[in-house]
Amino acid sequence: MIIGIAKEIKNNENRVALPPSGVFDLVSQGHQVHVETQAGAGSAIPDEEYAEAGATIVPDASSVWAADMVMKVKEPLPEEYRYFRKDLLLFTYLHLAANKPLTEALVKSGVNAIAYENVQPADHSLPLLAPMSEIAGRMASQIGANYLERVNGGKGILLSGVPGVRRGNVVVIGGGVVGANAASIAIGLGANVTILDVSVPRLKELDVMFGNSIQTMLSNRYNIQEALKTADLVVGAVLIPGHKAPTLVTKEMVKGMPDHSVIVDVAIDQGGIFETVDKVTTHDDPTYVKEGVVHYAVANMPGAVPQTATYALSNSTLAYASLLANHPLDEVLKNNLALRRGVNTFSGHLTLEAVAKDLEMPH
Ligand code: NAD
């Protein structure tokens, strides 16, 4: 099979779907890998390194999209829709529940699209979302701490405090992979950390993981409202797989937060959990102020740390890419539950029920 590795074109998206080690593996298995020139530049991987690993360097997007399977990091942007075609296999993050135009373009063109974030084995884990969630969660506390500085628009609070002066309060809504990683860094920075989740079993796990370093609370409207009143930094980290994120924090709740507090809505890629987060921001212009609170809503946070994220992503995607490359698609989807669950569009049909429901589209 010919596998195409496209250059990412989203704002400040510096990751690439596979590093040379992944190319080497696929070529060793008898495939041809076409890498778009400069695809690895943002991750400090020159074309020559790909060529040494066995890749063919192709000059432009249209050449790379001619492959049998295209691997990307972020969802295709409108200028890439022209490359969609029947029988193309697309393996990337998609987040369709928050993107009707892309869903329609994939269905209309007949692309078979498997979304990393929906690949789910029998244990219901999300192995291809987890590595980026680990990164985005860790970044959320680091970024939040930065924006809490007065010079960056925040309250002017050091999360650790100092002897005799209070620590900062970090509230994490959603205690999954993003939430636990955000908590771990916030604890490391010396903050008071509260995690809210709807799952009591998950709260128990978090209690075992972090002991007395965190406060856990059941996530409901009342508890969220109470926790936000004293929050300096709030991290949105909720996921209901396949669905648009629920709005859990209302405009009134944000109004109730002290001025110059900071919100980092990591769940923005699924639409976000704050009513006041009504636009996705970019690494070029990552924040805006609403109701006196600094909002950060970048949907591709790991794109800022490509020399970590490229490798973390491919550590998890490569085994699945090999399966897709080594077997006919029908067979691999029949035999592999995780990949079957990841199919979002197939032969002109929207196959993921959650997306169809959220976008009010047939499936
Ligand atoms: P996860 O499945 O590991 O965790 C989600 C958690 O949310 C679960 O523990 C679940 O119980 C909890 N939850 C569900 N409903 C809730 C509610 N009403 N209140 C509180 N908690 C609730 O998911 P994850 O991997 O941590 O991902 C979280 C979000 O972050 C996803 O939308 C993911 O796509 C996104 N993400 C964004 C970026 C970015 O760059 N912005 C990067 C990686 C991941």
Side-chain angles (χ1 to χ4, degrees), residues 95 126 129 132-133 136 173-178 196-199 202 219 237-240 248 266-270 298-302:
H95 302 288
L126 299 169
L129 181 64
M132 295 306 102
S133 292
I173 306 176
V177 180
V178 168
L196 297 103
D197 201 292
V198 275
S199 158
R202 182 57 182 167
S219 174
V238 165
L239 176 67
I240 302 171
L248 299 177
V266 184
I268 185 64
D269 56 351
Q270 294 286 135
V298 174
N300 62 333
M301 294 169 67

Side-chain angles (χ1 to χ4, degrees), residues 5 33-38 47 56-65:
I5 307 298
V33 182
H34 290 181
V35 175
E36 187 176 345
T37 183
Q38 296 295 307
D47 286 354
T56 304
I57 306 301
V58 298
D60 50 30
S62 63
S63 319
V64 87
W65 280 89

Side-chain angles (χ1 to χ4, degrees), residues 124-263:
H124 290 285
S125 62
L126 299 169
L128 306 192
L129 181 64
M132 295 306 102
S133 292
E134 287 166 353
I135 291 177
R138 289 172 189 217
M139 288 177 76
S141 294
Q142 189 174 302
I143 286 166
N146 185 37
Y147 282 109
L148 275 171
E149 291 179 13
R150 191 71 196 93
V151 288
N152 294 328
K155 277 177 170 174
I157 281 199
L158 182 64
L159 281 181
S160 61
V162 287
V165 184
R166 78 165 179 92
R167 300 171 193 280
N169 295 324
V170 176
V171 172
V172 180
I173 306 176
V177 180
V178 168
N181 280 276
S184 142
I185 296 300
I187 293 165
L189 290 171
N192 288 323
V193 179
T194 301
I195 311 183
L196 297 103
D197 201 292
V198 275
S199 158
V200 173
R202 182 57 182 167
L203 291 178
K204 287 185 180 165
E205 283 173 12
L206 292 165
D207 192 71
V208 171
M209 280 162 79
F210 296 116
N212 293 340
S213 312
I214 57 163
Q215 176 70 53
T216 56
M217 287 174 96
L218 190 70
S219 174
N220 56 40
R221 206 182 152 101
Y222 184 89
N223 284 347
I224 291 176
Q225 190 156 337
E226 283 306 299
L228 292 199
K229 282 181 186 160
T230 52
D232 298 302
L233 166 63
V234 186
V235 177
V238 165
L239 176 67
I240 302 171
H243 281 285
K244 192 168 180 314
T247 302
L248 299 177
V249 180
T250 62
K251 194 171 162 184
E252 288 310 308
M253 291 183 193
V254 174
K255 261 189 195 163
M257 292 173 67
D259 278 357
H260 304 289
S261 303
V262 175
I263 284 171

